[in-house]
Amino acid sequence: VNVYSNILKRLYPEIPVVIGGIEASLRRFTHYDYWQDKLLPSILVSSKADLMIYGMGEKGIVELASRLNAGENIETIKNIPQTAYLSDKSSVGYLPESNVLRLHSFEECLNSRKKFAENFKLIEEESNKLQPATIVEPTGNQLVVVNPTYPTMTEKEVDASFNLPY
């Protein structure tokens, strides 16, 4: 994800880069990298991607494609469920405090295993709720903002997705 995303951003800086899949999903927050034996920030930081769709992205990718096709700019699309993006610390005032879970920063996690463990526990608990909160993690002078998931797909929606001609 990092290698290809960075190449794309260098060659075509005006083209939106959206990442997803298991690699991006598992690295949407501060995470332990086994290859480097250290904590790394969200893959959004290192990949320079414009947006991430995490988990099973059936609904998110369709909504994103529809909105881009309608002429919306990737930089203004911040409210699609099951997406994550980087934001300046000053520009997330629109987030409702009542449904926002604020994590310890990446830098705090680097200095405290306990804070990293607390973040991990909170992320796992929130990820398994039927109505999760928006999760925000400070990283440097930015915030990783992870929108809640879509509601669980109905049987009819799952069947329609699996009946597509992949």
Side-chain angles (χ1 to χ4, degrees):
V1 170
N2 281 325
V3 171
Y4 291 120
S5 200
N6 277 281
I7 290 170
L8 289 170
K9 290 308 278 184
R10 189 179 72 244
L11 294 174
Y12 308 101
E14 71 286 353
I15 303 297
V17 173
V18 179
I19 59 175
I22 191 75
E23 184 179 353
S25 296
L26 290 174
R27 293 169 178 83
R28 62 188 183 273
F29 299 104
T30 298
H31 59 280
Y32 177 74
D33 183 85
Y34 292 93
W35 294 105
Q36 297 181 53
D37 190 27
K38 65 180 185 178
L39 292 182
L40 296 177
S42 169
I43 197 166
L44 283 164
V45 174
S46 55
S47 71
K48 298 179 179 64
D50 297 288
L51 192 72
M52 173 196 301
I53 298 176
Y54 67 91
M56 299 300 288
E58 297 95 335
K59 290 183 175 184
I61 196 70
V62 170
E63 183 171 344
L64 177 61
S66 296
R67 290 173 66 174
L68 289 171
N69 192 46
E72 272 189 73
N73 186 317
I74 190 80
E75 293 174 12
T76 65
I77 300 174
K78 306 290 186 202
N79 61 348
I80 297 177
Q82 228 158 308
T83 61
Y85 60 91
L86 287 176
S87 178
D88 292 333
K89 286 185 177 179
S90 62
S91 64
V92 291
Y94 65 88
L95 292 173
E97 283 300 318
S98 62
N99 199 28
V100 174
L101 174 61
R102 297 190 182 275
L103 302 176
H104 298 293
S105 72
F106 166 68
E107 293 77 14
E108 289 175 300
C109 290
L110 283 177
N111 295 317
S112 170
R113 290 181 181 179
K114 183 177 180 186
K115 288 185 178 181
F116 176 66
E118 287 172 359
N119 275 9
F120 187 86
K121 179 180 181 279
L122 290 169
I123 292 164
E124 288 303 308
E125 289 174 347
E126 202 62 34
S127 297
N128 289 298
K129 290 182 178 177
L130 290 177
Q131 296 181 353
T134 298
I135 305 175
V136 176
E137 180 186 53
T139 302
N141 62 353
Q142 297 179 302
L143 296 172
V144 175
V145 180
V146 179
N147 292 322
T149 58
Y150 278 96
T152 304
M153 291 174 72
T154 65
E155 182 178 344
K156 185 177 179 180
E157 289 172 323
V158 172
D159 289 344
S161 175
F162 280 88
N163 285 332
L164 292 172
Y166 294 108

